[in-house]
mmCIF file of all heavy atoms in Angstrom:
data_model
loop_
_atom_site.group_PDB
_atom_site.id
_atom_site.type_symbol
_atom_site.label_atom_id
_atom_site.label_comp_id
_atom_site.label_asym_id
_atom_site.label_seq_id
_atom_site.Cartn_x
_atom_site.Cartn_y
_atom_site.Cartn_z
ATOM 1 N N MET L 475 0.818 -1.192 -0.004
ATOM 2 C CA MET L 475 -0.014 -0.007 -0.014
ATOM 3 C C MET L 475 0.864 1.227 0.010
ATOM 4 O O MET L 475 1.886 1.324 0.606
ATOM 5 C CB MET L 475 -0.854 -0.009 1.252
ATOM 6 C CG MET L 475 -1.875 -1.076 1.330
ATOM 7 S SD MET L 475 -2.999 -0.940 2.732
ATOM 8 C CE MET L 475 -3.899 -2.477 2.607
ATOM 9 N N GLU L 491 -6.108 -10.566 9.936
ATOM 10 C CA GLU L 491 -5.900 -11.602 8.915
ATOM 11 C C GLU L 491 -6.208 -12.979 9.508
ATOM 12 O O GLU L 491 -6.714 -13.862 8.793
ATOM 13 C CB GLU L 491 -4.381 -11.523 8.480
ATOM 14 C CG GLU L 491 -4.000 -10.339 7.572
ATOM 15 C CD GLU L 491 -4.258 -10.547 6.140
ATOM 16 O OE1 GLU L 491 -4.689 -11.744 5.768
ATOM 17 O OE2 GLU L 491 -3.983 -9.758 5.306
ATOM 18 N N ASP L 505 -7.819 -19.702 -0.541
ATOM 19 C CA ASP L 505 -7.673 -18.468 -1.127
ATOM 20 C C ASP L 505 -6.282 -18.503 -1.804
ATOM 21 O O ASP L 505 -5.202 -18.348 -1.155
ATOM 22 C CB ASP L 505 -7.739 -17.332 -0.090
ATOM 23 C CG ASP L 505 -7.698 -15.980 -0.687
ATOM 24 O OD1 ASP L 505 -7.762 -15.854 -1.909
ATOM 25 O OD2 ASP L 505 -7.719 -14.968 0.051
ATOM 26 N N THR L 506 -6.242 -18.742 -3.076
ATOM 27 C CA THR L 506 -4.931 -18.968 -3.827
ATOM 28 C C THR L 506 -4.292 -17.593 -4.310
ATOM 29 O O THR L 506 -3.222 -17.697 -4.700
ATOM 30 C CB THR L 506 -5.187 -19.834 -5.073
ATOM 31 O OG1 THR L 506 -6.181 -19.237 -5.932
ATOM 32 C CG2 THR L 506 -5.691 -21.219 -4.644
ATOM 33 N N ALA L 507 -5.040 -16.548 -4.156
ATOM 34 C CA ALA L 507 -4.427 -15.287 -4.662
ATOM 35 C C ALA L 507 -3.258 -14.896 -3.795
ATOM 36 O O ALA L 507 -3.313 -14.982 -2.516
ATOM 37 C CB ALA L 507 -5.548 -14.193 -4.638
ATOM 38 N N SER L 508 -2.235 -14.381 -4.389
ATOM 39 C CA SER L 508 -1.122 -13.887 -3.689
ATOM 40 C C SER L 508 -1.166 -12.368 -3.351
ATOM 41 O O SER L 508 -0.557 -11.858 -2.451
ATOM 42 C CB SER L 508 0.225 -14.138 -4.412
ATOM 43 O OG SER L 508 0.146 -13.552 -5.733
ATOM 44 N N LYS L 509 -1.934 -11.660 -4.201
ATOM 45 C CA LYS L 509 -1.990 -10.173 -4.010
ATOM 46 C C LYS L 509 -3.388 -9.753 -3.587
ATOM 47 O O LYS L 509 -3.593 -9.196 -2.442
ATOM 48 C CB LYS L 509 -1.633 -9.526 -5.346
ATOM 49 C CG LYS L 509 -1.633 -8.035 -5.267
ATOM 50 C CD LYS L 509 -1.220 -7.434 -6.655
ATOM 51 C CE LYS L 509 -1.161 -5.975 -6.584
ATOM 52 N NZ LYS L 509 -0.834 -5.364 -7.949
ATOM 53 N N PHE L 510 -4.469 -9.990 -4.397
ATOM 54 C CA PHE L 510 -5.734 -9.599 -4.040
ATOM 55 C C PHE L 510 -6.536 -10.683 -3.308
ATOM 56 O O PHE L 510 -7.279 -11.431 -3.851
ATOM 57 C CB PHE L 510 -6.550 -9.155 -5.389
ATOM 58 C CG PHE L 510 -7.793 -8.371 -5.047
ATOM 59 C CD1 PHE L 510 -7.761 -7.174 -4.182
ATOM 60 C CD2 PHE L 510 -8.988 -8.655 -5.638
ATOM 61 C CE1 PHE L 510 -8.890 -6.560 -3.875
ATOM 62 C CE2 PHE L 510 -10.142 -7.986 -5.384
ATOM 63 C CZ PHE L 510 -10.111 -6.870 -4.542
ATOM 64 N N THR L 511 -6.215 -10.726 -2.013
ATOM 65 C CA THR L 511 -6.743 -11.859 -1.127
ATOM 66 C C THR L 511 -8.167 -11.492 -0.686
ATOM 67 O O THR L 511 -8.729 -10.415 -0.916
ATOM 68 C CB THR L 511 -5.836 -12.048 0.052
ATOM 69 O OG1 THR L 511 -5.867 -10.824 0.857
ATOM 70 C CG2 THR L 511 -4.468 -12.366 -0.382
ATOM 71 N N ALA L 512 -8.754 -12.460 0.074
ATOM 72 C CA ALA L 512 -10.093 -12.229 0.679
ATOM 73 C C ALA L 512 -10.025 -11.032 1.656
ATOM 74 O O ALA L 512 -10.957 -10.239 1.764
ATOM 75 C CB ALA L 512 -10.548 -13.484 1.323
ATOM 76 N N SER L 513 -8.949 -10.924 2.365
ATOM 77 C CA SER L 513 -8.753 -9.716 3.289
ATOM 78 C C SER L 513 -8.660 -8.411 2.553
ATOM 79 O O SER L 513 -9.284 -7.443 3.023
ATOM 80 C CB SER L 513 -7.444 -9.905 4.051
ATOM 81 O OG SER L 513 -7.535 -11.053 4.920
ATOM 82 N N GLN L 514 -8.019 -8.389 1.336
ATOM 83 C CA GLN L 514 -8.027 -7.210 0.574
ATOM 84 C C GLN L 514 -9.495 -6.888 0.012
ATOM 85 O O GLN L 514 -9.856 -5.767 -0.056
ATOM 86 C CB GLN L 514 -7.081 -7.399 -0.691
ATOM 87 C CG GLN L 514 -5.624 -7.294 -0.177
ATOM 88 C CD GLN L 514 -5.239 -5.937 0.322
ATOM 89 O OE1 GLN L 514 -5.646 -4.936 -0.159
ATOM 90 N NE2 GLN L 514 -4.363 -5.998 1.348
ATOM 91 N N LEU L 515 -10.213 -7.942 -0.337
ATOM 92 C CA LEU L 515 -11.587 -7.734 -0.865
ATOM 93 C C LEU L 515 -12.409 -7.122 0.256
ATOM 94 O O LEU L 515 -13.259 -6.238 -0.024
ATOM 95 C CB LEU L 515 -12.175 -9.153 -1.252
ATOM 96 C CG LEU L 515 -13.613 -9.066 -1.713
ATOM 97 C CD1 LEU L 515 -13.810 -8.274 -3.039
ATOM 98 C CD2 LEU L 515 -14.223 -10.481 -1.912
ATOM 99 N N LEU L 516 -12.176 -7.552 1.488
ATOM 100 C CA LEU L 516 -12.940 -7.006 2.633
ATOM 101 C C LEU L 516 -12.630 -5.483 2.754
ATOM 102 O O LEU L 516 -13.537 -4.656 2.880
ATOM 103 C CB LEU L 516 -12.552 -7.684 3.912
ATOM 104 C CG LEU L 516 -13.097 -7.069 5.215
ATOM 105 C CD1 LEU L 516 -14.622 -7.253 5.250
ATOM 106 C CD2 LEU L 516 -12.476 -7.737 6.403
ATOM 107 N N LEU L 517 -11.357 -5.123 2.655
ATOM 108 C CA LEU L 517 -10.990 -3.749 2.729
ATOM 109 C C LEU L 517 -11.625 -2.900 1.547
ATOM 110 O O LEU L 517 -12.110 -1.780 1.793
ATOM 111 C CB LEU L 517 -9.481 -3.538 2.812
ATOM 112 C CG LEU L 517 -8.745 -3.998 3.987
ATOM 113 C CD1 LEU L 517 -7.245 -3.859 3.789
ATOM 114 C CD2 LEU L 517 -9.183 -3.074 5.191
ATOM 115 N N PHE L 518 -11.577 -3.488 0.357
ATOM 116 C CA PHE L 518 -12.151 -2.807 -0.784
ATOM 117 C C PHE L 518 -13.638 -2.557 -0.611
ATOM 118 O O PHE L 518 -14.109 -1.380 -0.854
ATOM 119 C CB PHE L 518 -11.915 -3.611 -2.021
ATOM 120 C CG PHE L 518 -10.693 -3.253 -2.817
ATOM 121 C CD1 PHE L 518 -9.417 -3.413 -2.231
ATOM 122 C CD2 PHE L 518 -10.750 -2.760 -4.128
ATOM 123 C CE1 PHE L 518 -8.218 -3.120 -2.994
ATOM 124 C CE2 PHE L 518 -9.647 -2.363 -4.885
ATOM 125 C CZ PHE L 518 -8.342 -2.596 -4.272
ATOM 126 N N VAL L 538 -6.865 3.300 -4.744
ATOM 127 C CA VAL L 538 -5.490 3.677 -4.612
ATOM 128 C C VAL L 538 -5.418 4.950 -3.693
ATOM 129 O O VAL L 538 -4.517 5.061 -2.772
ATOM 130 C CB VAL L 538 -4.852 3.959 -5.957
ATOM 131 C CG1 VAL L 538 -3.453 4.427 -5.778
ATOM 132 C CG2 VAL L 538 -4.825 2.709 -6.814
ATOM 133 N N LEU L 542 -5.268 1.581 -0.671
ATOM 134 C CA LEU L 542 -5.387 0.161 -1.035
ATOM 135 C C LEU L 542 -4.563 -0.173 -2.192
ATOM 136 O O LEU L 542 -4.069 0.655 -2.931
ATOM 137 C CB LEU L 542 -6.885 -0.192 -1.352
ATOM 138 C CG LEU L 542 -7.861 0.109 -0.136
ATOM 139 C CD1 LEU L 542 -9.271 -0.150 -0.581
ATOM 140 C CD2 LEU L 542 -7.500 -0.550 1.049
ATOM 141 N N ILE L 543 -4.354 -1.505 -2.489
ATOM 142 C CA ILE L 543 -3.514 -1.937 -3.533
ATOM 143 C C ILE L 543 -4.113 -1.643 -4.821
ATOM 144 O O ILE L 543 -5.358 -1.519 -5.048
ATOM 145 C CB ILE L 543 -3.179 -3.428 -3.399
ATOM 146 C CG1 ILE L 543 -4.369 -4.221 -3.510
ATOM 147 C CG2 ILE L 543 -2.441 -3.735 -2.123
ATOM 148 C CD1 ILE L 543 -4.191 -5.741 -3.521
ATOM 149 N N ARG L 544 -3.367 -1.580 -5.922
ATOM 150 C CA ARG L 544 -3.858 -1.337 -7.291
ATOM 151 C C ARG L 544 -4.196 -2.617 -7.924
ATOM 152 O O ARG L 544 -3.463 -3.588 -8.028
ATOM 153 C CB ARG L 544 -2.727 -0.663 -8.103
ATOM 154 C CG ARG L 544 -3.225 -0.189 -9.483
ATOM 155 C CD ARG L 544 -2.115 0.389 -10.246
ATOM 156 N NE ARG L 544 -1.539 1.602 -9.603
ATOM 157 C CZ ARG L 544 -2.074 2.852 -9.722
ATOM 158 N NH1 ARG L 544 -3.116 2.996 -10.418
ATOM 159 N NH2 ARG L 544 -1.528 3.868 -9.063
ATOM 160 N N VAL L 545 -5.485 -2.756 -8.379
ATOM 161 C CA VAL L 545 -5.950 -3.973 -9.106
ATOM 162 C C VAL L 545 -6.878 -3.421 -10.203
ATOM 163 O O VAL L 545 -7.382 -2.325 -10.218
ATOM 164 C CB VAL L 545 -6.766 -4.938 -8.241
ATOM 165 C CG1 VAL L 545 -5.884 -5.476 -7.096
ATOM 166 C CG2 VAL L 545 -7.987 -4.181 -7.617
ATOM 167 N N CYS L 546 -7.073 -4.280 -11.226
ATOM 168 C CA CYS L 546 -8.003 -3.907 -12.254
ATOM 169 C C CYS L 546 -9.453 -4.290 -11.853
ATOM 170 O O CYS L 546 -9.617 -5.122 -10.886
ATOM 171 C CB CYS L 546 -7.638 -4.693 -13.611
ATOM 172 S SG CYS L 546 -7.816 -6.423 -13.450
ATOM 173 N N SER L 549 -10.555 -7.943 -11.658
ATOM 174 C CA SER L 549 -10.145 -8.742 -10.569
ATOM 175 C C SER L 549 -11.002 -8.485 -9.408
ATOM 176 O O SER L 549 -11.307 -9.448 -8.665
ATOM 177 C CB SER L 549 -8.656 -8.310 -10.205
ATOM 178 O OG SER L 549 -7.762 -8.632 -11.271
ATOM 179 N N LYS L 553 -13.212 -11.614 -7.897
ATOM 180 C CA LYS L 553 -12.958 -11.979 -6.558
ATOM 181 C C LYS L 553 -14.242 -11.826 -5.759
ATOM 182 O O LYS L 553 -14.586 -12.739 -4.839
ATOM 183 C CB LYS L 553 -11.870 -11.056 -5.964
ATOM 184 C CG LYS L 553 -11.367 -11.566 -4.626
ATOM 185 C CD LYS L 553 -10.537 -12.776 -4.783
ATOM 186 C CE LYS L 553 -9.892 -13.215 -3.474
ATOM 187 N NZ LYS L 553 -8.947 -14.365 -3.620
#
Side-chain angles (χ1 to χ4, degrees):
M475 295 185 186
E491 288 273 359
D505 192 2
T506 57
S508 58
K509 185 178 180 183
F510 195 49
T511 63
S513 294
Q514 287 294 324
L515 178 66
L516 174 67
L517 286 174
F518 266 64
V538 177
L542 303 177
I543 63 175
R544 186 183 298 276
V545 296
C546 64
S549 297
K553 191 72 175 182

